[in-house]
Amino acid sequence: MHKMRIHRRVVLGLFSAMLSLDISAQNIQVHGVVKDTNGETIIGASVVQKGTKNATVTDLNGAFTLSVPANSTLSFTYMGYKEKVVPLNGKNNVDIVLAEDNQQLSEVVVVGYGTMRKRDLTGAVGSLANKDLKDQPVANLGQALQGKVSGLQVIDAGKPGDNVSIKIRGLGSINNCDPLVVIDGVPTDLGLNNLNMADIERIDVLKDASATAIYGSRGANGVILITTMKGKDGRGHLILNMNLSAQNATRKPHLLNASEYAALSNDMMINSGNAANPLWTDPTTLGQGTNWVDEMFRTGYLQNYTLSYTGGSDKINYYVSGGFQKQTGTVRSVSYRRYTFQDNLDAQVLDWLKVSTNLSMSADLKEQGSYDLGSTYRALPVLPVKDDDGNWSGPEGNSLWYGSTRNPVGPTETDSQKTKGYNLLGNISGEATLTSWLKFKTTFGLDAKFWDYDNFTPAYKWKPTPVDQASRYQGNNKSFTYLWDNYFTFDHTFGGAHHLNVMAGTSAQWNNYNYLNAQKNIFTFENVHEMDNGQKMESMGGNTTEWSLFSYMARVNYDYMNRYLVTATIRRDGSSRFGRSHRWGTFPSVSLAWRLTEEKWYKPNHILSDLKIRAGYGQTGSQASVGNYGYLATYNTSVYPLGTDGTEQTALISTTLSNPDIHWETVAQTNIGFDAALFDSRVMLTVDAYLKKTSDMLVKASIPITSGFEDTSTTYTNAGKVTNKGIEVSLHTINFKESHAHPGWETSLSYTYNRNKIDDLNSSVPYYINQINNSYVTMLAKDYPINVFYGYVTDGIFQNQEEVKEHAVQTGAEPGDIRFRDLNNDGVINEKDRTVIGNPNPAHLFSINNIVSWKGLELSVYLQGVAGNKIFNANNIDLTGMSAAYNQLTDVLGRWHGEGTSTSMPRAVYGDPNGNNRVSDRYVESGSYLRLKNISLSYNLPATWLRALSLSSARLIFSCENVATITGYSGFDPEVGVNGIDLSNYPISRTFNFGINLNF
């Protein structure tokens, strides 16, 4: 009996245990709605059972349903909002309110071969997400970066399909100082104009050496890391982006009409002792004439379409998109088309193995006739576009009256210039999780480019320079760059306080490039001009080059209690571009950070919620200025008469000496900064100060003439030095949080100060570069900034002959001419009186963006500008010269025509005997400007509309780019190249845009 009772108890106990296990294993259906603090439902929020991959997303009503065990804990997340964790404790109905996440320091940034939380950074890194770029109606990703990151200078090329110029922390070299671009982990020289903005998830800019040293001999000029879109867990979304824009050139030049030009020509002839045109005795009879600027410019149109599909699960995430862009330029005949395809895939193929692929493909066509904006401005208004027979007109007769500027419009219609490009950039990687703290990743990448040129010019008999032979030039180019990266990542926390992350591995990259081109002239039929039909071989050329790079790299990140942080990096590069004795270089860096607000003695408060002080030092290199075979001697073939009979023989001529010691330029950079979060993270402030010293810069070697080589030979050596120093400030404030009662308002401000100086050029003799009209405009010299302007200093206008006599000897001077200063007081105006007359490098870069949002409406006002730089307005040499048969700006209507009539605009005189148009400060102007860069108004359709339209989200955008510019510059636009010379630049456009974004 006793045994039976024991047996019964055991059976009942087992039954009860099984029953309790069954009950605990039963799932419940949890329902709820996710909203924001304004009561608006959140569509697409993630709902995840903690510790599992069981998840769902909220629907169009913000509602969700998820089957989970009754004792589970749920995590609710959505981009831009703080995570909320809720234990169910048996509840099956949960309504959630997500608060906005204003703590930007929790953002994850890409740092090269890995990612880090922004709050853990010890170096200087600027970041932009897709949301920071989405409403700008620009055709080029680079244009959207302008002013958005402190320390980053972006100059727009203006022309459709052309890439922007980007510099980070000033000009670090007199040679190539473009930053390295890395797209999805693959270093590339692919232009940003080949990327579709809709495919970009984020851009991270590595600025100081502690951040860029991981890229070793290519990190000296900064690194731009671009990450394309990735799929996210949740149901698939079909997204359509459409933008339609109209563009017009801003600040077109005001030129003389026909009557005004004829009067000017008469003055030029009379003042130079030449006969005036008898047909222009009464200039008023000529009327307005031809406005060549209006003939050349037009309204351009931009269309941009992107269709993408994205989604995923716990096993696989995907993003696929296709894009089309078409742009007609504001200059006639200029057009651009681009096709893009993006395919990104992340697959968890095994519990321990993740495979990822990124594939970017693009094809573009740049097409135009021959256009010359300089000729457009100089063309005479007294000539028609076409003559009475319908043929293109041209100047004929006396060149003193009618000039020699060819009809600028005709070649845009008859000539053909086409460039076709095909680009493939992709990689495939495998990441193996070996243990919970150790991973291994291998990546193979390919960067393939194919582009060709096809230019055709027909024969024509236009005045004054007929073209006797039709010609066709074709060229084909191929470039293949391969990448293979392998590295381990160790990540572990010891004792709950010491966190260590170590990355170590290798990188190999190699390239093969070749080209072939040819030109043939004379075709039997103008409409049949295949190369086979050409009768005369004008030229043929081709070449193949290769380079390779192998690297060892390691980075250690350590932090103690999130309070003391250390990052140490080292990379050792071996490059084929250098001789064997200098093939390898080592590039170290170290940076430290101290988070004061994590100290035990710090009392948390709402005024200062986070403060981190950073300091770093490192060395990086640049081999961008070195050719593939720069350490070798170069030879050219030529024909020389040899022997007593003078028979011509082919000879091999040495043009440069070899230099086996040539190597990369080195940059040592010190950075000190801090990051602060104030008033519950409503104010985020980052400040950096840096000292950037370039050594071993490539300069011309001093070669004794006894060597048989001239001192001006292009043999280079590592002997130059440059210094940049500056301050960067980034500020983001949340002035008001949006509510039902009032709108939200956020402000972002960026400011950069930079000073640049050449410390050594390996010679006391300056370099003179950038020639215009046989005169050098720019100088490179020790103790001066890079690219300073060099010329004469003006001192008003001679008003009478007495002033001419009393001045230093100035050959050709007469009353009405410009007086130049005798700087060396030797009584003669000559080349010894030239001096530095301007610095083209801006001292200040700044921008401010204000965003106001309320009830689905969002207004953005973005201003951007530069200050402290000068521009050399080279256009005015011809357009205010009044010394040749060129049309002129209306400024010359105020020219000198008698004593006291002008103190700034000289007389009109053909031939310019005084040299009024020599390189001088007459053409140097302030390049400072403040531009209302963008105004955009967008509207997010409300949830009720979305439900009716079966959409997840919909956004309408109205915007204008390059709205207005405040500047003292008299030229067409103050945004010119880094050399500061404005000469027939393609004009910047004002763009009016309508866009729509639909998420199905």
Side-chain angles (χ1 to χ4, degrees):
M1 190 71 177
H2 178 69
K3 290 181 180 181
M4 289 181 63
R5 283 197 299 268
I6 294 175
H7 179 70
R8 188 181 303 162
R9 289 174 182 173
V10 170
V11 172
L12 289 173
L14 290 173
F15 178 76
S16 299
M18 291 173 63
L19 181 62
S20 63
L21 285 172
D22 181 64
I23 292 173
S24 64
Q26 287 181 351
N27 286 354
I28 60 174
Q29 296 290 322
V30 180
H31 309 273
V33 176
V34 179
K35 298 181 179 180
D36 62 18
T37 53
N38 297 320
E40 297 288 339
T41 58
I42 298 178
I43 304 167
S46 296
V47 185
V48 182
Q49 180 188 347
K50 269 287 192 181
T52 74
K53 296 181 179 179
N54 182 25
T56 186
V57 294
T58 56
D59 60 19
L60 294 174
N61 299 311
F64 71 93
T65 300
L66 186 65
S67 177
V68 296
N71 59 351
S72 298
T73 298
L74 298 186
S75 168
F76 298 84
T77 58
Y78 189 71
M79 183 178 297
Y81 292 81
K82 294 181 180 179
E83 178 187 16
K84 190 159 189 177
V85 178
V86 179
L88 291 179
N89 298 323
K91 292 185 294 183
N92 62 2
N93 194 332
V94 180
D95 290 333
I96 300 298
V97 176
L98 294 183
E100 292 184 14
D101 186 3
N102 297 322
Q103 178 55 279
Q104 296 180 2
L105 294 178
S106 62
E107 176 186 356
V108 175
V109 300
V110 180
V111 292
Y113 306 100
T115 59
M116 292 180 66
R117 290 188 307 170
K118 191 172 183 178
R119 66 180 287 115
D120 296 335
L121 288 175
T122 57
V125 179
S127 301
L128 292 172
N130 179 266
K131 63 182 177 64
D132 301 312
L133 311 171
K134 63 182 184 302
D135 288 343
Q136 287 193 250
V138 294
N140 186 324
L141 172 64
Q143 296 169 330
L145 299 181
Q146 196 169 40
K148 296 293 179 66
V149 177
S150 61
L152 188 70
Q153 181 184 11
V154 180
I155 300 175
D156 188 0
K159 184 179 177 183
D162 280 7
N163 203 15
V164 298
S165 171
I166 298 179
K167 300 294 180 284
I168 297 175
R169 290 188 166 180
L171 302 181
S173 171
I174 64 174
N175 307 299
N176 186 334
C177 49
D178 294 337
L180 175 68
V181 175
V182 180
I183 302 175
D184 289 328
V186 180
T188 177
D189 57 1
L190 183 69
L192 300 187
N193 53 300
N194 289 288
L195 301 177
N196 186 344
M197 277 183 55
D199 292 334
I200 305 304
E201 184 168 293
R202 67 176 298 108
I203 299 172
D204 296 284
V205 181
L206 311 185
K207 295 184 286 187
D208 73 333
S210 66
T212 63
I214 197 65
Y215 288 100
S217 64
R218 293 183 294 179
N221 300 317
V223 182
I224 297 177
L225 304 176
I226 298 175
T227 304
T228 57
M229 287 288 189
K230 302 292 189 292
K232 296 177 175 61
D233 290 354
R235 69 176 184 85
H237 287 267
L238 186 67
I239 303 170
L240 176 64
N241 285 292
M242 297 186 295
N243 285 279
L244 302 173
S245 305
Q247 300 179 312
N248 292 104
T250 60
R251 294 170 61 109
K252 289 190 291 188
H254 299 290
L255 300 167
L256 300 180
N257 61 33
S259 295
E260 292 165 339
Y261 174 76
L264 172 70
S265 176
N266 292 341
D267 277 359
M268 287 194 298
M269 295 300 104
I270 294 170
N271 290 336
S272 62
N274 291 291
N277 189 338
L279 298 179
W280 297 346
T281 304
D282 183 4
T284 60
T285 61
L286 276 68
Q288 294 294 315
T290 301
N291 188 322
W292 292 100
V293 171
D294 287 347
E295 294 289 341
M296 181 62 73
F297 288 93
R298 63 183 178 182
T299 298
Y301 296 96
L302 171 64
Q303 305 173 56
N304 209 329
Y305 309 93
T306 302
L307 184 65
S308 59
Y309 187 67
T310 180
S313 65
D314 58 339
K315 293 293 185 183
I316 189 169
N317 293 316
Y318 51 86
Y319 175 87
V320 182
S321 83
F324 171 70
Q325 177 179 297
K326 182 179 180 181
Q327 186 177 11
T328 56
T330 55
V331 173
R332 64 185 296 159
S333 83
V334 176
S335 66
Y336 176 66
R337 293 199 304 273
R338 186 190 68 193
Y339 305 85
T340 60
F341 175 76
Q342 187 75 37
D343 184 11
N344 294 340
L345 181 70
D346 297 305
Q348 193 72 41
V349 295
L350 298 170
D351 289 342
W352 56 272
L353 179 62
K354 179 181 178 181
V355 175
S356 300
T357 63
N358 300 282
L359 178 63
S360 300
M361 293 190 292
S362 65
D364 61 21
L365 172 62
K366 301 174 185 176
E367 191 170 11
Q368 66 183 44
S370 295
Y371 74 91
D372 182 347
L373 295 182
S375 294
T376 302
Y377 308 142
R378 294 191 298 266
L380 301 186
V382 296
L383 301 174
V385 178
K386 290 187 176 183
D387 60 26
D388 294 337
D389 297 327
N391 300 316
W392 299 110
S393 74
E396 57 181 314
N398 190 334
S399 62
L400 274 66
W401 302 334
Y402 298 103
S404 58
T405 302
R406 193 177 66 179
N407 185 322
V409 173
T412 67
E413 302 290 338
T414 59
D415 297 2
S416 173
Q417 297 183 16
K418 296 180 181 179
T419 302
K420 295 180 181 178
Y422 307 91
N423 308 291
L424 185 152
L425 181 69
N427 68 71
I428 181 169
S429 64
E431 184 177 72
T433 302
L434 306 179
T435 69
S436 60
W437 41 265
L438 183 64
K439 294 181 179 181
F440 172 75
K441 186 172 184 178
T442 183
T443 300
F444 177 79
L446 173 64
D447 182 7
K449 302 183 186 70
F450 310 85
W451 68 102
D452 60 70
Y453 310 96
D454 189 350
N455 301 338
F456 176 73
T457 302
Y460 44 75
K461 298 181 179 180
W462 303 349
K463 308 291 184 182
T465 51
V467 176
D468 297 326
Q469 299 178 357
S471 66
R472 186 176 188 181
Y473 170 84
Q474 283 188 294
N476 297 290
N477 304 261
K478 292 185 297 183
S479 175
F480 293 92
T481 306
Y482 307 92
L483 172 77
W484 189 25
D485 288 344
N486 295 277
Y487 58 91
F488 289 89
T489 302
F490 172 90
D491 192 290
H492 191 61
T493 300
F494 299 90
H498 304 273
H499 177 242
L500 185 66
N501 180 283
V502 181
M503 183 280 295
T506 63
S507 178
Q509 199 169 7
W510 59 104
N511 169 270
N512 177 275
Y513 164 75
N514 63 73
Y515 73 90
L516 183 67
N517 58 43
Q519 179 177 331
K520 276 192 171 184
N521 291 358
I522 308 177
F523 294 85
T524 305
F525 304 100
E526 287 193 2
N527 59 342
V528 181
H529 39 79
E530 295 300 323
M531 295 297 278
D532 282 347
N533 298 330
Q535 300 177 28
K536 178 184 176 183
M537 175 60 76
E538 188 71 18
S539 65
M540 177 175 285
N543 205 347
T544 298
T545 60
E546 295 180 312
W547 60 264
S548 60
L549 181 72
F550 186 77
S551 310
Y552 302 95
M553 56 197 179
R555 179 175 58 222
V556 177
N557 291 305
Y558 167 79
D559 76 79
Y560 172 73
M561 298 289 289
N562 203 28
R563 186 183 307 160
Y564 311 114
L565 302 97
V566 180
T567 299
T569 303
I570 190 167
R571 179 160 175 149
R572 184 163 173 78
D573 282 342
S575 173
S576 67
R577 293 183 172 180
F578 310 113
R580 293 186 180 278
S581 59
H582 289 275
R583 188 151 288 176
W584 287 88
T586 303
F587 305 92
S589 77
V590 63
S591 54
L592 312 171
W594 174 32
R595 177 167 283 108
L596 280 73
T597 47
E598 292 295 326
E599 292 287 358
K600 293 181 180 178
W601 47 262
Y602 181 78
K603 295 181 180 180
N605 60 80
H606 73 282
I607 296 178
L608 182 62
S609 52
D610 191 273
L611 176 62
K612 179 177 64 176
I613 298 174
R614 298 176 281 104
Y617 173 82
Q619 290 187 347
T620 49
S622 172
Q623 52 177 299
S625 304
V626 184
N628 290 336
Y629 311 104
Y631 64 97
L632 299 174
T634 58
Y635 297 84
N636 286 339
T637 57
S638 186
V639 177
Y640 274 83
L642 299 174
T644 57
D645 59 353
T647 304
E648 290 188 341
Q649 301 288 339
T650 300
L652 195 62
I653 309 300
S654 176
T655 56
T656 62
L657 293 171
S658 65
N659 182 3
D661 295 327
I662 198 172
H663 55 278
W664 36 70
E665 300 176 343
T666 302
V667 171
Q669 191 170 173
T670 302
N671 192 94
I672 299 174
F674 70 86
D675 305 309
L678 300 93
F679 306 109
D680 296 327
S681 299
R682 292 182 62 168
V683 176
M684 308 294 295
L685 175 65
T686 296
V687 177
D688 283 280
Y690 60 86
L691 177 63
K692 179 179 174 182
K693 286 185 168 289
T694 301
S695 59
D696 297 333
M697 181 176 67
L698 285 174
V699 293
K700 292 179 181 178
S702 299
I703 303 172
I705 196 168
T706 54
S707 67
F709 292 82
E710 295 184 13
D711 188 56
T712 56
S713 174
T714 53
T715 298
Y716 289 92
T717 186
N718 297 93
K721 297 179 181 179
V722 170
T723 296
N724 282 273
K725 52 186 176 182
I727 297 173
E728 299 167 350
V729 179
S730 296
L731 176 67
H732 180 81
T733 63
I734 301 174
N735 308 309
F736 296 105
K737 291 185 178 181
E738 183 181 353
S739 69
H740 285 293
H742 59 76
W745 173 25
E746 297 187 20
T747 300
S748 296
L749 181 146
S750 173
Y751 170 76
T752 303
Y753 169 83
N754 184 79
R755 278 301 185 190
N756 167 279
K757 183 169 72 78
I758 297 174
D759 298 318
D760 194 358
L761 277 178
N762 195 39
S763 173
S764 59
V765 179
Y767 298 173
Y768 298 102
I769 57 176
N770 296 319
Q771 235 182 2
I772 297 176
N773 293 344
N774 299 317
S775 294
Y776 289 105
V777 175
T778 305
M779 181 184 76
L780 302 171
K782 181 181 178 181
D783 296 329
Y784 287 98
I786 292 176
N787 292 333
V788 290
F789 304 134
Y790 187 74
Y792 294 87
V793 178
T794 58
D795 191 24
I797 303 290
F798 290 117
Q799 297 297 325
N800 52 56
Q801 193 63 42
E802 188 65 26
E803 291 185 2
V804 176
K805 289 181 180 180
E806 292 178 353
H807 189 59
V809 175
Q810 189 170 307
T811 305
E814 295 288 344
D817 286 328
I818 294 177
R819 178 171 50 215
F820 296 99
R821 289 186 179 177
D822 181 14
L823 297 182
N824 65 349
N825 296 314
D826 65 354
V828 179
I829 303 300
N830 55 26
E831 290 189 355
K832 295 179 181 179
D833 294 303
R834 292 183 299 169
T835 187
V836 173
I837 54 176
N839 177 10
N841 302 288
H844 311 277
L845 309 173
F846 47 85
S847 70
I848 184 169
N849 190 30
N850 284 283
I851 299 176
V852 178
S853 56
W854 196 37
K855 297 183 177 180
L857 281 170
E858 184 175 284
L859 174 66
S860 172
V861 180
Y862 177 49
L863 294 94
Q864 169 265 332
V866 304
N869 62 307
K870 300 294 185 181
I871 296 174
F872 189 86
N873 190 349
N875 297 300
N876 282 1
I877 292 178
D878 287 337
L879 300 184
T880 61
M882 299 179 290
S883 60
Y886 298 150
N887 200 9
Q888 306 285 288
L889 294 172
T890 54
D891 297 359
V892 305
L893 295 175
R895 61 187 176 273
W896 189 92
H897 56 273
E899 187 170 351
T901 55
S902 175
T903 58
S904 58
M905 185 63 68
R907 64 177 180 145
V909 54
Y910 190 88
D912 190 18
N914 179 58
N916 290 329
N917 301 326
R918 69 185 76 184
V919 174
S920 71
D921 62 358
R922 175 186 178 188
Y923 305 110
V924 176
E925 303 181 42
S926 171
S928 301
Y929 70 87
L930 175 63
R931 174 168 284 161
L932 181 49
K933 186 68 176 177
N934 179 268
I935 295 179
S936 63
L937 178 65
S938 61
Y939 181 61
N940 296 300
L941 271 61
T944 53
W945 294 17
L946 296 176
R947 285 191 290 269
L949 297 171
S950 298
L951 293 171
S952 296
S953 65
R955 183 180 179 88
L956 304 177
I957 306 110
F958 300 89
S959 60
C960 182
E961 188 82 359
N962 297 321
V963 183
T965 303
I966 300 173
T967 180
Y969 181 56
S970 67
F972 312 144
D973 193 276
E975 189 173 341
V976 301
V978 292
N979 64 10
I981 299 174
D982 184 5
L983 180 62
S984 302
N985 291 347
Y986 196 98
I988 303 297
S989 299
R990 180 178 293 116
T991 302
F992 298 92
N993 174 74
F994 168 72
I996 185 168
N997 174 276
L998 303 176
N999 189 334
F1000 296 91

